[in-house]
Amino acid sequence: MAQRMFGARKLPGDGPRNGWFETLPEPPPARRVEGRIRVDFAVVGAGICGCSTARRLAELRPDDSVALIEAGRVGYGTSGRNAGFMLDNHSHGGMKHMEAARKNVRLSSAGTDWLRRLVREHQIQCQWSDWGRIYVAAGEGAEAELRNVSDGFDSLGAPWRELDRDGVEAVTGSRYYRRGVRVDGSALVQPSAMMRGLAATLPANVALYEESPVLEMGAGGGFRLTCPDGTVEARQVVLCTHVFTEEMGFLKHRAVPLASFASLTEPLSDAQAAMLGGEGEFGLLPAHSNGSTVRLTQDRRILMRNTLFYAREKRFPAALMERVADIHRRSIAARWPDLGDTGFAGTWGGILGFTRNEGAIFGPVRDGLWALMSCDVAPMTKGAIGGKLLAEHICGEDSELLQVVLSLPRAALLPPDPILRFVVNRRVGRLAATGAAER
Ligand SMILES: Cc1cc2nc3c(=O)[nH]c(=O)nc-3n(C[C@H](O)[C@H](O)[C@H](O)COP(=O)(O)OP(=O)(O)OC[C@H]3O[C@@H](n4cnc5c(N)ncnc54)[C@H](O)[C@@H]3O)c2cc1C
């Protein structure tokens, strides 16, 4: 049967120097797609969605073969370059879609539990810590946003406690923040290490292929995926390629690609670490969307994440990265004036997807072709459980949680560029203006 062809117009470039990845030992050489490989299932993209889908498919169909195909290295892409908050729930100012938010909390909470279990069971060394997080506000405007955050937690029935400036200082060593809202239940991890560990402990009937970008896909009477040095033929395919799914011609105009940026410092000395409060680690999330996510890691590094940017091009030019590194240095100095010139192990960018209605991208695209994309809030934990549930859906296993994800609204259509670019840039510009003090 003649196959319909879909080409990948753009592949992940992934921005320079993912600091989390760089601080881990060099991985063993990649196994690539070479020659002609035949499998039952091909999962494209080995981020959190792809690793979870492949794991669960293999568990449910132990006699079937699964190929997990990744353009780069596991732990280098977005799932290994985030801020490492594994969120069981989340509240942000003015949550408009409360019913969807409640359903998403059920998913992210189940995702956190599943990840915690996998990390423990397989003894994955990824600095997993059930530390929780503190939402913080530095300026007056953000204090109002912080009230929205705590109101949101009240609506979700999630407990929280308030910290004043002294309370936040006791944890962070900084008087930069005027107030905080502390919430338990979520975890902090070294995300690149977690992703490597998840991929290394996949069931034996999953074969992981890295450095094997899928350049083209033929669909019709099965699927044929073409990589630079070989092909994979599969009965069914699951696309877990995040914002690159649209580059293959699927799920266009469903998610806004927004880039954000992070830097990870070299380890602090004893004297420097003593400036960062009394708990040995922490994780701060900004109440204001323009604010910074800040962590002190167990190996005594500061992670600074901020700056948003419409990212349809999905590229991170060197000049932009230099500018961002400078912003991060200033953000660190604003909180700990003596640490502004601490060296960085890396500065990098990555892309998050946002839907217009906190909707789901989950399920069949066409006969035998499935897709999953984790967007909006708590995408790592929602992606983990989303992959598990999608595999169960494909294998015909029903559950109450599967019904939760199926009952979510589908991600609403977005306007095309240049309209979307204009709207998002205006919104990001406004956030930057109202939240300048938070960065
Ligand atoms: C700076 C930053 C901080 C963040 N902080 C957090 C946080 O603290 N907590 C949280 O929950 N989320 C956070 N996120 C968001 C989160 O990391 C992502 O939403 C999540 O990783 C998406 O997972 P995924 O599996 O859908 O996509 P990805 O991790 O992007 O995986 C998709 C994979 O597909 C591969 N791929 C794409 N095209 C092809 C192709 N043609 N052939 C083969 N492979 C292909 C890519 O290389 C990639 O590895 C953050 C994101 C950024 C950028």
Side-chain angles (χ1 to χ4, degrees):
M1 186 204 270
Q3 291 204 312
R4 179 154 175 223
M5 301 309 291
F6 300 90
R9 286 180 311 159
K10 210 174 271 177
L11 295 166
D14 271 335
R17 299 199 67 202
N18 169 357
W20 296 119
F21 188 92
E22 299 249 335
T23 57
L24 295 175
E26 184 79 11
R31 168 170 53 182
R32 299 191 180 141
V33 169
E34 281 170 347
R36 185 175 172 200
I37 295 163
R38 280 187 169 165
V39 288
D40 296 293
F41 294 100
V43 179
V44 187
I48 191 68
C49 292
C51 284
S52 302
T53 306
R55 175 182 294 276
R56 192 65 181 142
L57 278 174
E59 283 173 357
L60 292 173
R61 295 281 171 85
D63 296 329
D64 283 356
S65 50
V66 182
L68 176 57
I69 309 165
E70 166 57 41
R73 296 307 307 260
V74 169
Y76 195 74
T78 318
S79 293
R81 60 177 51 217
N82 55 56
F85 286 74
M86 299 301 119
L87 296 168
D88 61 329
N89 61 19
H90 184 65
S91 161
H92 54 97
M95 288 199 289
K96 279 188 244 140
H97 310 283
M98 251 353 256
E99 202 193 327
R102 280 201 186 87
K103 289 178 178 173
N104 277 314
V105 165
R106 287 202 58 195
L107 295 170
S108 52
S109 164
T112 308
D113 290 346
W114 193 47
L115 281 176
R116 184 182 285 116
R117 188 158 62 73
L118 289 174
V119 165
R120 282 197 189 137
E121 217 169 84
H122 297 289
Q123 299 187 18
I124 296 171
Q125 302 302 308
C126 61
Q127 300 180 24
W128 182 286
S129 152
D130 289 313
W131 192 85
R133 73 280 195 191
I134 304 177
Y135 294 83
V136 283
E140 242 171 70
E143 223 179 344
E145 300 280 345
L146 193 60
R147 264 189 299 280
N148 287 335
V149 168
S150 49
D151 287 350
F153 281 124
D154 285 341
S155 310
L156 294 171
W160 55 274
R161 53 195 189 281
E162 180 153 348
L163 300 178
D164 60 11
R165 196 183 292 273
D166 292 343
V168 182
E169 185 188 11
V171 178
T172 65
S174 171
R175 291 194 67 73
Y176 184 75
Y177 299 106
R178 53 172 74 200
R179 220 162 65 80
V181 162
R182 190 162 186 172
V183 189
D184 296 328
S186 59
L188 299 172
V189 301
Q190 207 285 27
S192 189
M194 185 180 79
M195 290 313 302
R196 275 199 198 173
L198 289 173
T201 57
L202 287 167
N205 52 334
V206 182
L208 169 67
Y209 299 95
E210 297 172 278
E211 296 178 358
S212 301
V214 172
L215 306 174
E216 199 175 61
M217 180 172 77
F223 296 85
R224 186 182 160 91
L225 307 173
T226 306
C227 299
D229 300 317
T231 56
V232 178
E233 289 167 21
R235 286 193 291 119
Q236 302 200 54
V237 169
V238 189
L239 294 177
C240 294
T241 36
H242 196 42
V243 292
F244 286 89
T245 312
E246 66 180 12
E247 303 296 342
M248 305 265 294
F250 301 102
L251 303 176
K252 286 182 176 170
H253 310 305
R254 296 284 169 185
V256 180
L258 261 195
S260 193
F261 302 84
S263 291
L264 187 70
T265 68
E266 297 294 354
L268 303 177
S269 67
D270 289 349
Q272 288 173 324
M275 297 175 198
L276 273 82
E279 297 199 12
E281 68 176 321
F282 56 75
L284 312 179
L285 290 172
H288 191 287
S289 306
N290 191 57
S292 300
T293 301
V294 189
R295 282 185 55 190
L296 173 64
T297 64
Q298 285 177 6
D299 58 351
R300 305 213 298 205
R301 299 171 190 272
I302 297 172
L303 173 95
M304 181 61 68
R305 183 220 54 87
N306 57 39
T307 309
L308 296 170
F309 179 98
Y310 183 64
R312 180 72 67 197
E313 287 74 20
K314 308 184 176 73
R315 287 293 173 264
F316 303 97
L320 170 68
M321 298 315 299
E322 271 169 40
R323 241 177 34 235
V324 169
D326 198 47
I327 291 170
H328 289 164
R329 268 184 218 103
R330 279 187 272 133
S331 299
I332 291 176
R335 287 152 180 85
W336 301 281
D338 292 332
L339 299 181
D341 55 5
T342 310
F344 287 158
T347 296
W348 64 92
I351 303 172
L352 300 95
F354 287 91
T355 67
R356 176 176 184 165
N357 57 340
E358 302 208 17
I361 300 177
F362 175 102
V365 178
R366 54 185 288 165
D367 243 11
L369 180 65
W370 307 79
L372 167 65
M373 190 171 155
S374 183
C375 297
D376 306 313
V377 297
M380 285 296 287
T381 48
K382 273 190 332 201
I385 202 67
K388 180 172 182 285
L389 293 171
L390 182 58
E392 291 170 2
H393 191 37
I394 293 170
C395 295
E397 302 256 325
D398 201 5
S399 67
E400 203 200 325
L401 214 50
L402 176 61
Q403 290 307 318
V404 170
V405 74
L406 290 176
S407 70
L408 278 169
R410 192 168 176 230
L413 262 183
L414 293 157
D417 284 338
I419 302 168
L420 186 62
R421 178 183 298 275
F422 173 77
V423 171
V424 175
N425 281 342
R426 200 177 51 178
R427 176 113 203 266
V428 168
R430 272 202 207 126
L431 284 174
T434 57
E438 305 303 310
R439 196 162 78 178

